[in-house]
Amino acid sequence: MSKIKTIAILCSGGDSPGMNCAIRAIVRTAVHEGLEVFGIQKGYQGLLEGNVRPLSASSVGNILQHGGTILQTSRCPEFHEVETRKEAAHILKRKKIDALVVIGGDGSFNGAYKLQSEHGIPVIGIPGTIDNDISGTDYTIGFDTAVKNAVDAVDKIRDTANSHARTFIVEVMGKRSPAIALNVGICTGAENVVLPAEKIDFNKIASDIDRGIKRGKTSSIIIAAEGEIEGVGHVIQKELKEKFNISAHVCILGHIQRGGNPNPMDRVLASQMGHLAVKALIADNKCHATVVRLGKVTLAPLQECLTKKTEFSLDEVDLVNTLSI
Ligand code: ADP
C-alpha cells in the first residue's frame, strides 16, 4: 500500500504551453488511483500564502488545448531562504499534503530538491520550460510549441522580406539557452544564427548577406537569441549599418512564442509525464524528475536535472550555415 494519499501540484518560473496537459494528467491519474489532489495557485509564492484548492477530474476538463497554466505561476525569490522553505514544508504538513509535483525549469527543480532534502517531502519535477535547457531530458514541455510559434512568425517575415529584398534580424527567446534560436534557424532557412554567450561575428554576418545577394537571394534572415545583452537585435542592426552599410529591420518576437495552443508533441509529452509523476509517487519515489530520453518518458534522480543545460552542438550551427549558402 502506498503511503501517499494526497498530492499537490504547482507551476513555477516561466509558463510554457503544455503545462495544462500535465496538470490534467496528474489530476486524472491521481483520481483514478484513489488519491486526493490539490492545486497550488501561483507557484511557491502561493504555497507560502496557503493558496491551495482541491482539484477534481472535472475541474481539469477542457484545459489541455490551452497554453499558459490554470494554476498560474510565479517567481518567489524568498524560496532561496532556508526559513522560507521550512515554512512551506509546515504548510504542506498542516494541509496533510503528502507529496508535491512541481512543473517548471531548473530553478523550480532546485526549490523542490531542497524541500525534499531538508524536510523529507516526496517531490517529482516535471520539466516545463520553452528553453529546453534542463539537463537529463532531451525535451521539456513547451519547447516544440515555442519553436513552432517562432517558425510561423519567421515564415511570415520571410514573405515580406522577399517582396522588399530586405534583411531582417529576428530576436527569439533564449537568455542562456541556444535551443530555440538553433531550431528556428534550421526550420526557417535562416542565413545566420546568433547564440547567447557567443561572440557575435559581424564580419561573417555581413559577408553571408553579401554572398546571398550576389547569388540572387532576395532576402536574409538572422535569428538572434535574446541572450543577456539587452536589445541584441538592435545591437546587430547598428553594427551592420555603421561598419558595413547594410540596412536591416529588427523584429522582436517576445511573448507570442510562449502563448497559444500546445502542439501534439507537447500534449503527448505532458500527458505521459503527468501520468508517470503520480505513478512514481505511488511507487515510493521521493526525489525524481520525469524525463524523456531516446523517445521514452522515464524517471531520473532530480539531482541529475538541477543544472541548466546550455551546451549546443556545433553540427547544428554548421547545418544552418551549410543549408543557407
Ligand atoms: P525556472 O524554474 O523556469 O528555471 P526560476 O529560475 O526563475 O525559473 O525559478 C523559479 C522559482 O524557483 C524561483 O523564483 C524560486 O522560488 C525557486 N528557486 C529557483 N532557484 C532556487 C534555488 N536555488 N533554491 C530554492 N528555490 C529556488
Side-chain angles (χ1 to χ4, degrees):
M1 274 285 278
S2 166
K3 291 186 221 93
I4 305 292
K5 303 274 178 260
T6 306
I7 62 171
I9 315 164
L10 63 79
C11 295
S12 166
D15 65 303
S16 67
M19 282 182 162
N20 280 328
C21 300
I23 294 167
R24 172 178 174 272
I26 296 163
V27 172
R28 296 263 166 102
T29 306
V31 170
H32 182 260
E33 297 291 336
L35 306 184
E36 242 190 310
V37 204
F38 288 88
I40 298 170
Q41 212 68 25
K42 295 192 184 166
Y44 292 123
Q45 190 60 48
L47 170 57
L48 293 170
E49 290 162 5
N51 198 345
V52 178
R53 63 179 165 112
L55 294 174
S56 64
S58 59
S59 67
V60 292
N62 211 18
I63 65 167
L64 95 165
Q65 71 272 40
H66 298 300
T69 156
I70 60 159
L71 293 179
Q72 301 180 283
T73 182
S74 71
R75 294 205 161 81
C76 174
E78 305 94 284
F79 216 72
H80 288 262
E81 310 299 325
V82 178
E83 281 306 309
T84 306
R85 293 193 296 271
K86 194 171 168 188
E87 175 58 18
H90 279 315
I91 292 170
L92 287 171
K93 282 176 189 160
R94 255 201 325 269
K95 292 192 179 289
K96 300 196 180 346
I97 291 168
D98 302 320
L100 183 65
V101 181
V102 172
I103 310 170
D106 70 313
S108 306
F109 279 16
N110 266 296
Y113 178 77
K114 288 178 183 170
L115 259 184
Q116 205 293 316
S117 54
E118 292 165 1
H119 303 286
I121 294 165
V123 296
I124 300 286
I126 296 185
T129 161
I130 62 165
D131 287 328
N132 203 26
D133 62 349
I134 297 185
S135 292
T137 184
D138 295 345
Y139 289 104
T140 58
I141 296 166
F143 171 63
D144 191 55
T145 304
V147 170
K148 168 79 165 70
N149 287 340
V151 167
D152 286 348
V154 176
D155 286 348
K156 290 172 184 140
I157 292 167
R158 183 70 88 173
D159 288 346
T160 176
N162 276 329
S163 303
H164 290 269
R166 278 180 179 156
T167 294
F168 270 83
I169 302 156
V170 183
E171 213 178 289
V172 298
M173 279 187 163
K175 276 196 167 40
R176 279 178 285 166
S177 168
I180 293 180
L182 271 174
N183 280 266
V184 173
I186 293 167
C187 291
T188 59
E191 276 62 30
N192 270 282
V193 282
V194 172
L195 304 178
E198 292 289 295
K199 197 169 178 307
I200 305 174
D201 188 346
F202 295 106
N203 287 321
K204 178 174 175 355
I205 295 174
S207 73
D208 286 349
I209 293 170
D210 194 43
R211 191 189 57 219
I213 292 167
K214 286 190 178 124
R215 84 124 172 90
K217 281 196 183 200
T218 48
S219 66
S220 289
I221 303 262
I222 300 152
I223 303 293
E226 63 188 330
E228 309 271 20
I229 310 169
E230 187 73 22
V232 67
H234 287 103
V235 170
I236 300 169
Q237 180 190 45
K238 189 162 176 278
E239 196 76 8
L240 288 181
K241 186 71 198 164
E242 286 177 1
K243 285 225 177 99
F244 306 96
N245 196 28
I246 293 172
S247 300
H249 293 257
V250 177
C251 182
I252 300 167
L253 296 188
H255 287 82
I256 62 160
Q257 291 161 92
R258 265 193 210 283
N261 305 345
N263 279 356
M265 175 172 157
D266 283 324
R267 295 186 196 199
V268 171
L269 194 60
S271 300
Q272 290 175 331
M273 286 185 167
H275 178 75
L276 179 60
V278 177
K279 293 284 194 183
L281 287 171
I282 291 171
D284 216 21
N285 289 286
K286 291 194 165 51
C287 196
H288 284 76
T290 60
V291 295
V292 58
R293 291 178 181 171
L294 303 173
K296 196 171 164 15
V297 171
T298 182
L299 287 178
L302 191 54
Q303 212 168 2
E304 279 181 22
C305 305
L306 295 186
T307 51
K308 202 176 259 300
K309 166 175 87 179
T310 53
E311 82 271 12
F312 60 93
S313 155
L314 278 176
D315 292 350
E316 287 174 281
V317 179
D318 277 352
L319 186 64
V320 173
N321 290 335
T322 306
L323 300 190
S324 65
I325 53 170

